Amino acid sequence: MKYVISHALPNKQDASVKAHTDIDRFLATDGYKVLTFETRSGNNKLSRQFNRLRSINRLEKIVKPEDTVLVQYPIYSSEFDTDRFYSKVVVQAAHKIAVVHDLPFLRDSFPPVENDLKKELVRLNLFDSVIVHNEVMKQKLIGLGLKACVITLGLFDYYTPTINEQTNIPAISGKVFFAGNLIKSKFVTNLKGMRSVQYHLWGNITNKNSLDSSIKYHGTVPSDELPKYLVDGWGLVWDGDAIDSVTGLGGKYLRFIDPHKTSLYISAGIPVIVWKSAGVAKFIEDNNLGLTIDSLTEIPNRIEKLSLQQYTAVLKSVQKMQQRLVSGAMIKAAVHTAENNWKE
């Protein structure tokens, strides 16, 4: 049997678990059975601890030595339960795949805390194959001592019940969309519409009056429904406090990751505008999926200089990638690569 083990609760629909539940959904159509490690269920600390131990015991009985397990990494649980999960459930499987969503040792401190780095490498080296976001993350992990076969994903897939389709190529749009945690993304308070560019925001914010009057704020929308609102514009991938550069710890982490909002935008059928030093930037450039920039102040000039022919080519590339993301093609291809490695 082939199992994908997720810690996302199946009935939770917010953006924090969207990438996990989408992988569950897509691999369930590709021969994998979805199992849940219940890391968060329970009304208090004691009940959550009990449910985690019960869940580990249940999974230990299900997974057999001849099975394949795919784990959505990291498992957000206590250190004790996380180690118990790996030692009791994961290591007994014949074939082990990790899909990396986050790397806490890089996300939470830079440079990484040595003990955190060693602990995560030990866990990742339990796997035969580790699927990572991009080539930058791959080389970073190999350089730090990852011994497993490392496979790059390219972009996360993104399920949406509504697929936006471009039948006619519109005039070049100046609308720029940003969706995410606006409280964390402090740069939004420094945004101002300029010339042909108008910004549209979705997400939680402490005080919408902190936004410039030129900014259009649309509130919050469930992650599965958001793509239908993102029509005829550009999707922005940015982080930190400033508009002239991506700064702080979030900026350092952005150099290694594929932010999930990149997939949100492309699944909606719109091109992206990405920080040039982001880990996902090369994939965007190589596949002609949008613009890469050093500063948000570049956006008006970059859009205005595009010819309609160039814009049309970008939209066609986005449409092709959109079809891949909404069908789960990226994770299926990466998992098939891992499976084929065992057969060679």
Side-chain angles (χ1 to χ4, degrees):
M1 284 290 293
K2 299 191 294 185
Y3 299 105
V4 51
I5 303 179
S6 177
H7 63 81
L9 297 178
N11 60 349
K12 191 173 183 182
Q13 297 299 319
D14 66 54
S16 68
V17 297
K18 170 69 173 162
H20 296 77
T21 55
D22 281 353
I23 286 176
D24 293 345
R25 176 191 295 271
F26 291 128
L27 290 184
T29 67
D30 203 43
Y32 280 76
K33 182 177 180 179
V34 178
L35 302 175
T36 302
F37 177 22
E38 297 179 14
T39 60
R40 306 179 192 183
S41 63
N43 297 322
N44 54 57
K45 185 176 181 180
L46 186 60
S47 65
R48 286 191 291 272
Q49 175 68 53
F50 175 77
N51 287 335
R52 286 195 294 267
L53 289 174
R54 184 175 62 178
S55 185
I56 290 170
N57 290 337
R58 178 179 60 86
L59 293 171
E60 184 182 5
K61 293 175 182 176
I62 294 172
V63 176
K64 306 300 181 187
E66 65 273 15
D67 291 338
T68 295
V69 294
L70 181 146
V71 175
Q72 305 213 46
Y73 185 94
I75 292 293
Y76 291 107
S77 186
S78 68
E79 290 295 312
F80 173 79
D81 289 328
T82 298
D83 287 338
R84 186 176 175 84
F85 167 74
Y86 284 114
S87 64
K88 296 290 186 180
V89 179
V90 175
V91 297
Q92 68 176 334
H95 304 299
K96 298 169 279 290
I97 308 170
V99 178
V100 173
H101 290 271
D102 261 324
L103 292 171
F105 76 88
L106 280 180
R107 182 193 62 203
D108 299 337
S109 62
F110 201 91
V113 176
E114 187 68 20
N115 285 342
D116 293 342
L117 167 60
K118 289 180 179 178
K119 178 176 61 184
E120 290 200 49
L121 283 176
V122 167
R123 289 171 179 166
L124 286 170
N125 275 322
L126 293 173
F127 294 92
D128 305 299
S129 299
V130 176
I131 298 171
V132 301
H133 298 199
N134 53 56
E135 189 67 23
V136 181
M137 182 181 285
K138 174 180 177 177
Q139 295 306 322
K140 180 69 173 178
L141 287 172
I142 290 174
L144 290 171
L146 181 60
K147 304 301 183 184
C149 174
V150 187
I151 300 161
T152 56
L153 183 63
L155 285 176
F156 283 94
D157 300 288
Y158 198 104
Y159 169 77
T160 174
T162 304
I163 300 177
N164 302 333
E165 296 182 356
Q166 292 277 10
T167 52
N168 298 309
I169 301 300
I172 299 173
S173 177
K175 292 187 291 185
V176 177
F177 306 137
F178 183 82
N181 184 346
L182 304 183
I183 299 171
K184 181 179 75 73
S185 305
K186 296 180 180 179
F187 74 89
V188 298
T189 61
N190 297 316
L191 286 177
K192 292 182 180 180
M194 293 181 288
R195 302 202 306 271
S196 59
V197 172
Q198 183 182 64
Y199 289 100
H200 295 255
L201 309 182
W202 283 263
N204 292 315
I205 192 167
T206 304
N207 178 16
K208 66 179 181 180
N209 293 324
S210 64
L211 301 173
D212 186 77
S213 59
S214 66
I215 305 300
K216 303 295 184 182
Y217 175 64
H218 301 280
T220 59
V221 175
S223 54
D224 276 353
E225 298 177 19
L226 190 51
K228 70 182 180 183
Y229 297 97
L230 306 178
V231 179
D232 186 23
W234 302 79
L236 178 62
V237 180
W238 203 257
D239 205 343
D241 300 346
I243 62 171
D244 56 351
S245 181
V246 174
T247 58
L249 198 55
K252 290 183 173 65
Y253 193 45
L254 193 57
R255 294 177 181 272
F256 300 102
I257 64 170
D258 293 354
H260 196 234
K261 61 171 53 68
T262 315
S263 300
L264 160 67
Y265 301 139
I266 294 174
S267 73
I270 61 172
V272 294
I273 300 174
V274 176
W275 183 40
K276 190 181 287 288
S277 297
V280 74
K282 189 174 189 304
F283 187 90
I284 300 304
E285 292 173 343
D286 289 349
N287 291 277
N288 197 27
L289 298 172
L291 306 174
T292 59
I293 58 172
D294 290 310
S295 167
L296 297 182
T297 59
E298 297 175 29
I299 293 177
N301 281 339
R302 293 292 302 277
I303 291 178
E304 289 166 6
K305 287 181 178 178
L306 276 177
S307 69
L308 186 57
Q309 183 179 14
Q310 290 171 321
Y311 185 60
T312 300
V314 169
L315 289 183
K316 288 183 177 178
S317 297
V318 168
Q319 288 168 4
K320 290 179 182 178
M321 188 59 65
Q322 176 193 35
Q323 295 303 313
R324 299 195 71 194
L325 299 190
V326 300
S327 64
M330 306 302 277
I331 188 62
K332 290 177 183 178
V335 169
H336 292 167
T337 298
E339 292 173 342
N340 289 334
N341 286 340
W342 307 325
K343 299 172 185 176
E344 292 177 356

